[in-house]
Amino acid sequence: MFRILERYLVSERLKEGFIVGGIVDVDTFMKFSLSVHNRRKSRMGLALKNHIEAVLIATNISYTRTGITEHKSKPDIIFPNIASYRCNRFDEANLTLQPSISVNQTNKMIKKDLQLVIPMVLHQTYISTQRSWLYTFDTLLGK
């Protein structure tokens, strides 16, 4: 349904065109295009989080969705939960985050004994040193 609505809205805007004062306004077009692209990425990310949450609920795995950590960061999912993350007595080796990350963020996570869990299909988007460290959901679930 989202794609049908998007197709309608985008096609209507494209029909209007991007001409301002008789000149094609490339900046306005780029801004519009970027907003469409970002909206799609946001919807896909939300759908993935919903699927992950369904798996975690079905397998009785404790977690917190979008808990706020230091510097107001909001990882998608925190294992086992935000209360454990904040507890000074909790063994940090048992905490796991699932944000989208760069090489620098990966290195920071490794130094803090945190673990990134992502679908296998996304592993190929990381460099080889990162891939050897990444978990899949099967790894997390002990399969």
Side-chain angles (χ1 to χ4, degrees):
M1 288 181 66
F2 172 74
R3 294 280 180 149
I4 293 169
L5 176 61
E6 179 189 59
R7 190 173 296 118
Y8 171 77
L9 295 174
V10 169
S11 66
E12 290 299 310
R13 181 62 181 98
L14 290 174
K15 286 177 190 175
E16 291 174 18
F18 296 91
I19 298 177
V20 177
I23 299 172
V24 175
D25 187 347
V26 174
D27 290 337
T28 300
F29 170 75
M30 293 302 293
K31 184 178 177 182
F32 173 73
S33 176
L34 185 58
S35 74
V36 170
H37 182 72
N38 286 339
R39 189 169 44 243
R40 277 188 174 188
K41 288 192 323 187
S42 176
R43 297 284 279 181
M44 287 185 279
L46 184 58
L48 176 61
K49 285 184 248 185
N50 290 339
H51 285 84
I52 292 167
E53 187 169 37
V55 169
L56 297 173
I57 290 169
T59 54
N60 295 315
I61 294 178
S62 178
Y63 70 97
T64 297
R65 182 172 172 166
T66 319
I68 299 173
T69 62
E70 46 286 307
H71 309 294
K72 298 182 182 177
S73 293
K74 293 182 181 177
D76 294 336
I77 297 174
I78 297 177
F79 300 99
N81 54 52
I82 193 67
S84 297
Y85 183 87
R86 292 183 179 138
C87 177
N88 291 333
R89 296 179 315 274
F90 192 83
D91 182 1
E92 290 181 6
N94 294 323
L95 297 173
T96 307
L97 300 176
Q98 195 278 322
S100 109
I101 64 169
S102 67
V103 173
N104 285 339
Q105 290 169 314
T106 301
N107 291 337
K108 287 178 185 177
M109 288 180 74
I110 291 169
K111 287 178 184 174
K112 293 185 182 250
D113 292 323
L114 299 174
Q115 182 61 55
L116 179 61
V117 180
I118 60 172
M120 179 56 86
V121 69
L122 296 178
H123 283 219
Q124 67 192 19
T125 64
Y126 290 83
I127 63 172
S128 60
T129 55
Q130 288 175 302
R131 280 195 303 266
S132 64
W133 171 75
L134 296 173
Y135 271 29
T136 65
F137 295 104
D138 283 347
T139 308
L140 176 69
L141 299 174
K143 293 182 176 185

